[in-house]
């Protein structure tokens, strides 16, 4: 197959959005489609280079912290100069790749702060006759704002041919976070979860370590500090512990964790072999981001989930609550996080085997199939047989 696809992705805290879109892009490339991946977050040196994709790195923008104040790579507030530079590079990438399909990750459900570049991209795509696809994770952070929901519905219906939801409604239906989902059901397709098939193995936990991970951003600092304190209380002290801090954790915080680490506990930055570490661990302690939660479920790991819930964030809380309700992990709310409570949750996880959950994890391939249909036919990809496609009432 021939054709061209341009994918725009912007991550602000963790790197899960980048990993998910990269996997979809690679699945498209395996079909012989030329893929340009435009990334607006900071580069991740430790992350493996995308295979067979053209990567365009925009001047990076990230969130300073969990309040989502946008800054450049040097921590300065973004200004008109960086906006203009990003827009120019993005439109140059569009002109150079001449895509049949443009995939926008998140928007219009999220990333409104990036309309300065996304609105012109959408206009350019429509003028060139390219199809528009929204790529969105399993859960949209609920807003309790019907006016905003109506605005999203109108934008989807006016500009987008497909909305690809990278989840499985048997775990969490899309309307759990976006109640107006039924109003776009004709354009919505569940793809299944996007993961690396090679990572889906059940690990051997005898002798394994306690693996504490805090994603790719700075928001997991308190979890890491609390885990260290739980270990000092004697929680599973007979086992080795490993704390993985994201690349966004400030150097001073990383150094403080390292200096305070007792014997038998190591503190490291991002590990490219995280799936292998997770597969071998005895218990995983983490937030409830898309990628880590999915890996825990597919590997059937004993786990404690501490969902990120700063400000009005509820996406991870919904995901973790559903997983815990099904018996597949322990959940501890951020508001209840303490060394003693975390130690109790870890010991509870150690005492039982998690419930196995059957999930559709073919999200990368299904997404690529649906996008490739648009490339080949120029028609919305509604003809593919997709497990759980459409909206399923709760």
């Amino acid at each position: 197959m021939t054709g061209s696809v341009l994918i725009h992705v912007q991550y602000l805290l963790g790197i899960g959005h980048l990993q998910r879109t990269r996997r979809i892009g690679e699945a498209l490339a395996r079909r012989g489609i030329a893929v340009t991946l435009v990334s607006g977050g900071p580069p991740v040196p430790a992350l493996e280079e995308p295979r067979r994709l053209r990567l365009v790195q925009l001047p990076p923008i990230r969130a300073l912290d969990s309040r989502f104040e946008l800054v450049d790579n040097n921590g300065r507030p973004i200004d008109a100069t960086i906006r203009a530079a990003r827009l120019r590079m993005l439109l140059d990438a569009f002109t150079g790749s001449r895509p049949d399909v443009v995939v926008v990750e998140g928007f219009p459900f999220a990333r409104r702060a990036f309309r300065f570049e996304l609105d012109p991209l959408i206009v350019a795509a429509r003028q060139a006759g390219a199809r528009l696809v929204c790529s969105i994770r399993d859960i949209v952070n609920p807003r309790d704002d019907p006016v905003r929901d109506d605005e999203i519905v109108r934008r989807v219906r006016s500009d987008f041919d497909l909305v690809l939801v990278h989840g499985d409604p048997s775990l969490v239906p899309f309307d759990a976070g976006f109640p107006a989902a039924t109003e776009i059901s004709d354009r919505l397709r569940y793809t299944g979860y996007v993961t690396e098939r090679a990572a889906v193995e059940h690990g051997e936990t005898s002798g394994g370590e306690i693996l504490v991970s805090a994603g790719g951003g700075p928001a997991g600092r308190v979890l890491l500090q609390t885990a260290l304190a739980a270990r000092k209380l004697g929680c599973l002290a007979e086992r080795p512990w490993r704390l993985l801090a994201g690349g966004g954790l400030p150097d001073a915080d990383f150094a403080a964790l390292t200096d305070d680490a007792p014997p038998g506990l190591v503190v490291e930055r991002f590990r490219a072999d995280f799936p292998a570490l997770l597969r071998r661990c005895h218990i995983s302690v983490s937030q409830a981001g898309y990628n880590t939660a999915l890996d825990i479920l597919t590997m059937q790991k004993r786990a404690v989930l501490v969902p990120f819930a700063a400000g009005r964030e509820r996406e991870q809380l919904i995901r973790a609550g559903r997983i815990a309700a099904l018996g597949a992990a322990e959940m501890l709310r951020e508001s209840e996080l303490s060394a003693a409570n975390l130690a109790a949750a870890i010991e509870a996880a150690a005492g039982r085997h998690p419930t196995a959950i059957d999930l559709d994890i073919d999200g990368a391939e299904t997404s690529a199939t649906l996008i490739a249909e648009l490339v080949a036919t120029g028609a919305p990809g509604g003809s593919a047989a997709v497990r759980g496609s459409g909206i399923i009432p709760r």
Side-chain angles (χ1 to χ4, degrees):
M1 177 180 288
T2 59
S4 175
V5 172
L6 182 142
I7 304 175
H8 176 285
V9 59
Q10 173 68 52
Y11 75 90
L12 296 173
L13 288 175
I15 61 174
H17 299 281
L18 178 61
Q19 291 177 309
R20 186 166 56 249
T21 52
R22 187 191 67 169
R23 289 166 181 164
I24 293 169
E26 290 173 348
L28 283 164
R30 288 193 292 271
R31 288 163 165 75
I33 295 173
V35 179
T36 299
L37 178 61
V38 182
S39 176
V44 185
L47 196 63
E48 183 181 335
E49 281 294 313
R51 294 181 287 272
R52 294 189 286 184
L53 308 185
R54 178 192 175 215
L55 177 63
V56 175
Q57 175 63 59
L58 301 180
I61 292 177
R62 61 183 175 87
L64 183 62
D65 52 31
S66 59
R67 293 172 296 178
F68 290 94
E69 178 186 352
L70 300 183
V71 297
D72 64 17
N73 222 23
N74 296 313
R76 297 185 297 258
I78 63 171
D79 56 19
T81 300
I82 191 172
R83 290 188 181 95
R86 283 173 58 107
L87 175 57
R88 182 173 59 254
M89 288 185 66
L90 176 58
L91 294 182
D92 285 348
F94 174 83
T95 302
S97 60
R98 300 177 63 186
D100 302 288
V101 176
V102 172
V103 179
V104 180
E105 200 276 333
F107 189 78
F109 298 90
R111 302 294 184 260
R112 292 184 77 196
F114 292 86
R115 288 182 63 174
F116 68 89
E117 63 190 28
L118 293 176
D119 282 344
L121 174 64
I122 290 168
V123 169
R126 283 306 185 200
Q127 290 177 344
R131 294 292 187 170
L132 264 295
V133 174
C134 168
S135 167
I136 190 74
R137 66 191 175 199
D138 55 343
I139 303 168
V140 173
N141 190 52
R143 295 177 185 81
D144 299 323
D145 183 355
V147 174
R148 174 75 176 111
D149 288 349
D150 288 344
E151 177 187 329
I152 292 169
V153 168
R154 288 195 301 271
R155 194 66 192 266
V156 167
R157 300 206 68 83
S158 66
D159 287 331
F160 289 86
D161 298 286
L162 281 179
V163 175
L164 301 184
V165 178
H166 305 305
D168 183 335
S170 68
L171 181 63
V172 183
F174 191 58
D175 59 353
F178 188 65
T182 53
E183 298 181 40
I184 55 170
S185 59
D186 59 323
R187 304 187 189 199
L188 187 148
R189 303 290 183 273
Y190 287 102
T191 68
Y193 284 92
V194 177
T195 188
E196 293 280 7
R197 272 284 182 180
V200 183
E201 297 177 15
H202 300 169
E204 174 55 56
T205 59
S206 60
E209 64 189 9
I210 311 303
L211 179 64
V212 184
S213 58
R221 175 178 56 85
V222 175
L223 175 57
L224 295 170
Q225 293 172 334
T226 307
L228 191 153
R231 168 62 179 78
K232 286 186 171 183
L233 290 179
C235 177
L236 299 190
E238 72 279 5
R239 289 185 178 271
W241 283 56
R242 186 186 307 271
L243 273 58
L244 292 182
L249 187 74
D251 290 339
D253 291 331
F254 182 81
L257 288 169
T258 302
D259 293 343
D260 202 24
L265 183 149
V266 298
V267 183
E268 296 180 305
R269 289 283 191 184
F270 176 85
R271 288 280 296 258
D273 62 343
F274 175 75
L277 293 175
L278 184 62
R279 192 181 304 119
R280 296 193 299 266
C281 79
H282 182 58
I283 296 172
S284 167
V285 180
S286 70
Q287 297 176 315
Y290 181 99
N291 287 325
T292 302
L294 180 59
D295 286 344
I296 288 166
L297 290 176
T298 54
M299 296 181 192
Q300 296 181 27
K301 301 304 300 183
R302 297 181 177 92
V304 176
L305 298 176
V306 185
F308 173 64
R312 293 180 294 176
E313 290 293 312
R314 290 159 55 194
E315 166 243 331
Q316 291 196 13
L317 188 61
I318 293 171
R319 186 181 297 112
R322 178 61 175 161
I323 292 170
L326 293 173
E330 301 292 322
M331 186 183 84
L332 181 64
R333 291 175 178 265
E334 273 192 347
S335 60
E336 302 169 344
L337 185 60
S338 68
N341 287 347
L342 183 58
I346 292 171
E347 289 165 1
R352 66 184 183 87
H353 291 283
T355 301
I357 301 176
D358 180 29
L359 289 177
D360 181 350
I361 57 172
D362 288 325
E365 294 301 324
T366 300
S367 299
T369 296
L370 290 166
I371 295 167
E373 282 191 359
L374 287 178
V375 171
T377 68
S383 62
V386 183
R387 175 184 172 186
S389 60
I391 294 291
I392 296 179
R394 284 190 287 170

